[in-house]
């Protein structure tokens, strides 16, 4: 049948699902990054200080870390169709709030809530994995991620023009509001046109949705350890907003947030125990086992790949402007070459994984990542501009192809938990961004790039411990019968 073929120009069957998925993800990224290109206009209209603008940028990513974990769990339980549709509709509300904000506090609350839309990515990872076989999955997930990710670049290109077209000091408001309308309208299109699985296929749900299942006692403790960096990143963001940072929050509020984070972590320990306490008294059947270290390795790799991408996109225009004395417009155009690579690099990383294996691809791309950032760390004003841009684009290829290769592997670990695994891995990308941007606030550009290179080397070392997914995943149907899902040739 034609619809079973992988044809980018088809809009039926699995290809229709893929196209609607990346469009949904694209819209989430347009909404999530609709602030950065309009930053100067927002600053002038609302009379904000530079510190307040920086605060809005921090708040924009703060909620995404827990949101990706929560959305991953909801996706596994209720299905991608419903969860993506609700996310697109609900997140249009803070988008409209931001568009018509009249004060810093209103804008801050709206940007904080908009961090939730950054979790949309993990929903499509599960949806695409339901529709594509293992030998096409990397390519399909790469297209979904790469073309959707391009929404941030599309926002940068189009929103300033839209704001000028509307004209006046308030033009930016209408440009932002249009992205909210897009999100709201597409939620209805998505709900009416998508199904969670192909006809006749079963949508496997985890036995428990309150915490991730593990299958050995060692993995139980490993999971609890891997949760800590997510809370640490939120604590770091809180510290940035404290009197020691930009002074937005009082010491009382900051200490309250710290206590809240500790309380939530303790609560999460109790949930992980409830879900997994049986492994302390009974062995898990061999066909149900999986190794949590595979998830942990992918977390570390996404920390280095997507974490560095988010951080570098934030600072690259300033880096080119300061290093080569470019105008802000010219620096922005030059820096956009880094994000532009997403269109081909991420699908390319997924395709290479499909053809040559998950682990070899990840090893090569992680090594390239380390070399690329080491090279970026050598760039200075004596370099020709074209060579610096070429170095940034070369580095960008390995970063984004690496992201594609990570999510070519995520759905092959345990199908019914794909949303949870994607949520945790995706959250680690945001943890990476928080850590790298914090490092940048203390060191030079060159040291910043070398720190990322060092974490890529660490990623390469832990990757050596990872086992290539192979054979079949065992899932149990509601009637007790077993389905075997191929994860390798």
């Amino acid at each position: 049948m034609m619809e079973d073929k992988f044809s980018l120009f088809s809009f039926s069957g699995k290809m229709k699902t893929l196209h609607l998925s990346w469009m949904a993800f694209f819209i989430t990224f347009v909404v999530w990054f609709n602030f950065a290109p309009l930053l100067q206009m927002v600053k002038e209209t609302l009379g904000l200080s530079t510190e307040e603008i920086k605060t809005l940028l921090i708040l924009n990513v703060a909620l995404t870390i827990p949101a990706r974990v929560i959305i991953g769990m909801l996706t596994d339980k209720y299905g991608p169709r419903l969860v993506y549709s609700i996310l697109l509709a609900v997140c249009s509300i803070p988008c409209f709030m931001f568009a018509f904000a009249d004060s810093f506090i209103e804008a801050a609350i709206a940007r904080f809530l908009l961090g939730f839309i950054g979790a949309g990515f993990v929903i499509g990872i599960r949806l695409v994995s339901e529709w594509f076989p293992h030998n096409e999955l990397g390519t399909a997930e790469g297209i979904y991620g790469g073309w959707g990710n391009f929404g941030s670049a599309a926002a940068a290109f189009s929103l300033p023009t839209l704001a000028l077209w509307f004209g006046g000091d308030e033009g930016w408001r209408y440009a932002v509001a249009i992205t909210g309308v897009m999100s709201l309208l597409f939620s209805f299109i998505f709900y009416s046109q998508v199904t969670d699985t192909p006809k006749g296929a079963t949508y496997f749900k985890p036995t428990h949705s309150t915490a991730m299942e593990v299958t050995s006692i060692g993995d139980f403790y490993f999971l609890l350890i891997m949760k800590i960096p997510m809370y640490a990143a939120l604590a770091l963001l809180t510290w940035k907003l404290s009197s020691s940072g930009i002074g937005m929050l009082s010491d009382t509020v900051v200490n309250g947030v710290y206590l809240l984070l500790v309380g939530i972590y303790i609560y999460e320990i109790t949930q992980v125990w409830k879900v997994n306490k049986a492994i302390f008294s009974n062995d898990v059947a061999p066909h149900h086992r999986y190794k949590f270290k595979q998830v942990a390795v992918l977390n570390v790799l996404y920390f280095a790949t997507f974490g560095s991408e988010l951080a570098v996109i934030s600072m690259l225009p300033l880096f080119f402007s300061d290093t080569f004395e470019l105008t802000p417009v010219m620096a922005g155009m030059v820096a956009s070459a880094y994000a532009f690579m997403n269109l081909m690099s991420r699908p390319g990383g997924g395709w290479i994984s499909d053809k040559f294996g998950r682990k070899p691809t990840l090893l090569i791309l992680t090594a390239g990542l380390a070399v690329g950032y080491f090279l970026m760390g050598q760039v200075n004003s004596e370099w020709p501009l074209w060579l610096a841009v070429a170095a940034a684009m070369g580095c960008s290829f390995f970063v984004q192809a690496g992201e594609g290769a990570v999510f070519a592997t995520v759905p092959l670990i345990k199908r019914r938990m794909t949303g949870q695994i994607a949520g945790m891995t995706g959250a680690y990308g945001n943890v990476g961004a928080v850590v790298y941007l914090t490092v940048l606030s203390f060191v030079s550009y060159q040291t910043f790039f070398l720190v990322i290179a060092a974490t890529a080397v660490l990623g390469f070392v832990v990757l050596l411990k990872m086992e290539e997914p192979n054979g079949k995943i065992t899932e149990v149907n509601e009637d007790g019968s077993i389905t075997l899902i191929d994860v390798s040739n």
Side-chain angles (χ1 to χ4, degrees):
M1 287 170 64
M2 280 299 289
E3 71 174 38
D4 288 329
K5 290 185 178 177
F6 195 105
S7 170
L8 270 182
F9 302 104
S10 166
F11 202 81
S12 62
K14 63 186 181 188
M15 298 311 296
K16 177 184 176 184
T17 301
L18 176 59
H19 287 308
L20 288 169
S21 298
W22 75 254
M23 287 174 193
F25 181 34
F26 179 93
I27 289 169
T28 65
F29 256 53
V30 169
V31 173
W32 195 19
F33 289 98
N34 62 14
F35 172 44
L38 303 170
L39 197 139
Q40 204 58 39
M41 298 179 198
V42 176
K43 186 180 180 184
E44 288 172 15
T45 308
L46 298 182
L48 304 180
S49 66
T50 302
E51 287 303 310
E52 286 173 331
I53 287 290
K54 285 181 180 175
T55 303
L56 293 181
L57 287 170
I58 294 169
L59 290 172
N60 200 45
V61 298
L63 201 57
T64 312
I65 296 171
R68 286 190 162 183
V69 175
I70 294 163
I71 290 293
M73 289 178 171
L74 292 174
T75 301
D76 284 341
K77 186 172 184 179
Y78 297 108
R81 174 192 180 216
L82 180 64
V83 176
Y84 228 149
S85 303
I86 290 174
L87 184 78
L88 287 163
V90 169
C91 286
S92 68
I93 297 168
C95 186
F96 294 134
M97 281 171 59
F98 180 69
F100 299 106
D102 284 322
S103 67
F104 169 68
I105 293 298
E106 288 176 18
I109 293 168
R111 280 333 301 184
F112 178 69
L113 294 175
L114 269 172
F116 222 91
I117 205 165
F121 167 66
V122 304
I123 308 170
I125 292 295
R126 174 77 199 249
L127 180 60
V128 171
S129 74
E130 294 291 334
W131 281 83
F132 286 83
H134 69 90
N135 59 323
E136 295 175 349
L137 189 57
T139 310
E141 298 283 20
I143 289 167
Y144 166 71
W147 292 12
N149 241 349
F150 192 70
S152 59
F157 289 133
S158 61
L159 293 183
T161 309
L162 258 180
L164 290 171
W165 184 73
F166 282 113
D169 292 339
E170 308 290 307
W172 68 270
R173 295 186 184 277
Y174 300 105
V176 169
I178 281 176
T179 66
V181 171
M182 282 168 54
S183 187
L184 184 59
L185 291 179
F186 200 78
S187 69
F188 292 100
I189 294 169
F190 194 84
Y191 190 79
S192 66
Q193 297 296 315
V194 167
T195 56
D196 288 334
T197 62
K199 196 173 181 182
T202 303
Y203 187 79
F204 295 104
K205 299 179 181 182
T207 314
H208 307 277
S209 56
T210 53
M212 192 180 288
E213 297 168 42
V214 289
T215 54
S216 74
I217 294 171
D219 283 353
F220 173 85
Y221 294 110
F222 198 1
L223 171 60
L224 294 180
I225 291 167
M226 289 300 290
K227 290 274 183 185
I228 293 172
M230 293 190 277
Y231 289 94
L234 291 170
L236 191 57
L237 282 170
T238 307
W239 172 79
K240 273 185 155 184
L241 299 175
S242 72
S243 55
S244 305
I246 55 179
M248 180 190 171
L249 301 177
S250 69
D251 289 346
T252 306
V253 173
V254 169
N255 291 332
V257 173
Y258 291 154
L259 284 172
L260 180 66
L261 290 174
V262 171
I264 294 171
Y265 180 64
I266 292 168
Y267 173 75
E268 190 156 14
I269 291 173
T270 65
Q271 293 305 304
V272 173
W273 167 254
K274 279 182 187 175
V275 168
N276 294 293
K277 61 185 175 184
I279 62 174
F280 284 82
S281 50
N282 303 304
D283 285 339
V284 176
H287 59 270
H288 283 311
R289 289 178 196 159
Y290 80 97
K291 292 183 177 171
F292 179 74
K293 74 176 180 183
Q294 291 180 294
V295 180
V297 169
L298 294 172
N299 290 348
V300 173
L301 293 177
Y302 210 61
F303 179 104
T305 52
F306 187 65
S308 69
E309 181 184 352
L310 275 184
V312 170
I313 283 172
S314 303
M315 57 71 71
L316 209 55
L318 201 59
F319 169 72
F320 277 116
S321 175
D322 290 352
T323 307
F324 297 99
E325 296 180 357
L326 304 177
T327 64
V329 173
M330 184 65 180
M333 287 174 65
V334 169
S336 69
Y338 184 95
F340 200 81
M341 295 291 286
N342 254 318
L343 284 174
M344 296 307 298
S345 304
R346 196 157 180 159
W351 180 81
I352 296 166
S353 289
D354 286 342
K355 294 294 178 188
F356 303 106
R358 279 27 178 172
K359 187 174 178 179
T361 301
L362 282 167
L363 281 168
I364 292 164
L365 293 175
T366 307
L369 185 78
V371 173
Y373 277 119
F374 177 79
L375 197 61
M376 288 289 289
Q378 312 307 308
V379 174
N380 57 46
S381 57
E382 293 174 11
W383 280 46
L385 179 60
W386 68 267
L387 191 57
V389 173
M393 290 181 78
C395 183
S396 173
F397 167 78
F398 287 104
V399 170
Q400 290 152 11
E403 293 163 10
V406 166
F407 275 94
T409 313
V410 163
L412 303 180
I413 295 172
K414 202 68 180 162
R415 173 62 60 86
R416 70 177 182 269
M417 291 162 49
T418 296
Q420 290 183 33
I421 295 168
M424 190 173 185
T425 304
Y428 257 81
N430 285 77
V431 172
V434 171
V435 170
Y436 291 138
L437 286 171
T438 303
V439 168
L440 179 61
S441 64
F442 293 108
V443 301
S444 67
Y445 293 128
Q446 283 71 24
T447 307
F448 165 76
F449 288 126
L450 294 176
V451 167
I452 302 175
T455 54
V457 171
L458 175 66
F460 185 89
V461 172
V462 297
L463 183 54
L464 293 170
K465 301 284 186 185
M466 181 179 151
E467 295 168 27
E468 174 97 18
N470 59 55
K472 299 176 188 296
I473 300 174
T474 303
E475 293 293 3
V476 181
N477 297 303
E478 288 182 3
D479 63 3
S481 61
I482 285 179
T483 297
L484 298 175
I485 302 165
D486 285 321
V487 298
S488 64
N489 294 325

